Structures are given as C-alpha cells and as structure tokens.
Amino acid sequence: MIPNRLKQLWAEGKPTLNGWCSIGNPFTAEIMAAQGYDSVTIDVQHGALDYSSALPMMQAMRASGVVPMARVPWLEPGIIMKMLDAGAYGIICPMVNTAAQAAEFVSYVRYPPYGQRSFGPTRVAFAAGSNYASQANDELLAFAMIETQQGMDNLAEIAATPGLDGIYVGPADLTLSLAGGRLSPGFDREEAEMIDRLHEIIAACQDSGIRAALHCGTPEYAARAIGWGFNMTTVSGDSRLLAAAAGASVAQFRRLVSRDSVTVMQGGAY
C-alpha cells in the first residue's frame, strides 16, 4: 500500500497544509491537488457535491501524489466506508460530541479486529497499491471534529479514544456553540475566549499523542496556529479562493479603467 505521507511528515516533526474542495468538479480538484498541498479534503458535508462527484475528484487528484481525504456529512457508517472505498486516506467526521461517538467513528474506519469496516475496496484497492487489506488500518486517518460545547466538555475523553488519529477544529460551529450565538461564525478567531479553547484542544491532543488540526481563513493565521502547536492547518478552500482571486482581478481592472479614463479625458481626447 502506498504510505500515507501525512503520517510520514508528522513523524519527522513537520506540520502539514491541507487543501479544501467544496466544488463538485474533477478539474477543480485536479487544480487544487497540483498546487503543493500535502493533502486535499473533499467536503461531502457542506460542499456542493455528493459521492458521485467525490469519486472522480479523487481520481483526478491521484496524479499529483497529494493525500486524498474526505469530510463526511455525519457519523454514519455507510458514507464513511464508501468514501474510504473510493480512495480517501483520511476521514474527517463532524459533530463528534462524546467519547462513545468517537469510538463509533473509529470503528467505521478500521477493519476487524480494530473496527467494523466492511471489506469492499472497489477503487482504493487499485489506487492505493497492493496489500491494502493488511495495511489500511495503519495508514488511514480518523479525525473527529470538535464543534460544540458538549464536545469541549468531553474533550479529554474524546482525544483519548483508542484508534483516533486527531481532532479537527471547525472554528465557525465551535464559536457559535460556545458563545451561544453572541459571536458571529467564522475562521481566524481573535477573541481571547476562543483562542484559549484552541489551546485547550492542542493540549488535549498532545496529552493523548494525537494530532490537532484547524481550519483557517488565511496563511498568516495558519502559521500562527502551527506556532501554537497545531500539526495541520487548512487555509480557506476552492470556492473562497476562486471568489477572492476573481474579486481582486475585477477590482484591479475597475481601478485601472477608471484611472485611464480620467487620464484620457484630461488629455483632451474627447
């Protein structure tokens, strides 16, 4: 089986950068995968896509050598196992609030005797190389998302779940839940109360020997998060990056045309 490069990088003490795909299109996924990310996650929860889109997206990403991952819609065995069979090397599961849910999630990612994943690696048996059945349990990643007050209340127990590889922080939902709607959802939190919670998550992960990951809005904030102790950061995503680049291009064009028009009119061309 092709080794999971994320695990290799973490073993060397290196942080990793994760890309994010919410647009259900193989070409978009191929472009994202070619940009130098260590991994790229296909968002099947909030992304504009489903399994029929995710499978060709993973196929399109293969040539880049990037580690393919998926965020599933919920803690449900069918879609978790199906995304693994499609080729995902890691699963991010949203709204994990208790240790029991974390253990249930891990069981869907691992083959017996460590879990209850059903055997049928339709695509991944070809995409991941030989000996998949015997090595998948060691190579695949299970990330539980902490996004609620209940999840924070059970943080230590969740982090200590056998077989869990890491905690992935969704700052928007976490902020909504912890602040009770007092703070608007979003990335790159600057409130002291939220930064304290992020440090609590890092500490819990370090105590349990697992990885901490955070979804960020900017490279600057992601770099700060790595400095705090996060092992993996995601910076924005395909839809936001596309909108930002297109918006910047349009704004620059408007500025240039407006400036040039004033220059021409002042020169008496009219």
Side-chain angles (χ1 to χ4, degrees), residues 53-255:
S53 299
L55 176 58
M57 290 170 72
M58 288 192 190
Q59 291 173 310
M61 289 161 53
R62 185 184 183 191
S64 68
V66 72
V67 178
M69 298 178 61
R71 177 167 73 170
V72 295
W74 211 249
L75 177 57
E76 191 279 314
I79 191 59
I80 291 172
M81 297 182 195
K82 202 166 181 65
M83 293 308 298
L84 292 171
D85 291 341
Y89 262 58
I91 298 292
I92 299 172
C93 183
M95 295 291 181
V96 175
N97 295 317
T98 66
Q101 290 177 341
E104 182 183 357
F105 166 49
V106 169
S107 77
Y108 300 149
V109 176
R110 313 293 180 204
Y111 288 128
Y114 304 110
Q116 55 179 319
R117 180 184 172 190
S118 175
F119 187 74
T122 305
R123 173 182 177 264
V124 74
F126 300 96
S130 59
N131 301 320
Y132 180 81
S134 62
Q135 297 177 22
N137 281 345
D138 294 327
E139 296 295 337
L140 301 182
L141 296 167
F143 271 91
M145 293 193 76
I146 297 292
E147 305 181 89
T148 66
Q149 180 67 63
Q150 185 183 12
M152 288 299 300
D153 292 342
N154 296 311
L155 174 61
E157 292 79 8
I158 292 172
T161 301
L164 188 69
D165 294 288
I167 288 176
Y168 191 101
V169 183
D173 276 313
L174 186 62
T175 300
L176 273 177
S177 181
L178 295 185
R182 175 171 47 85
L183 299 173
S184 298
F187 304 139
D188 299 1
R189 310 309 307 190
E190 295 293 352
E191 303 87 359
E193 61 190 283
M194 294 307 303
I195 292 177
D196 287 345
R197 302 292 83 76
L198 296 180
H199 282 282
E200 288 178 20
I201 292 170
I202 294 168
C205 289
Q206 291 176 343
D207 289 345
S208 294
I210 63 174
R211 310 299 174 179
L214 177 66
H215 206 115
C216 304
T218 64
E220 291 78 13
Y221 196 93
R224 286 173 60 193
I226 294 298
W228 293 337
F230 279 98
N231 306 103
M232 180 171 78
T233 53
T234 300
V235 177
S236 194
D238 57 355
S239 59
R240 290 174 181 265
L241 291 169
L242 174 61
S249 177
V250 170
Q252 178 68 353
F253 171 81
R254 301 297 186 201
R255 284 192 295 269

Side-chain angles (χ1 to χ4, degrees), residues 4-26:
N4 190 326
R5 188 166 178 270
L6 293 181
K7 288 196 166 190
Q8 293 177 328
L9 290 169
W10 293 331
E12 296 169 3
K14 298 177 181 178
T16 60
L17 179 62
N18 178 58
W20 199 262
C21 284
S22 297
I23 301 171
N25 185 277

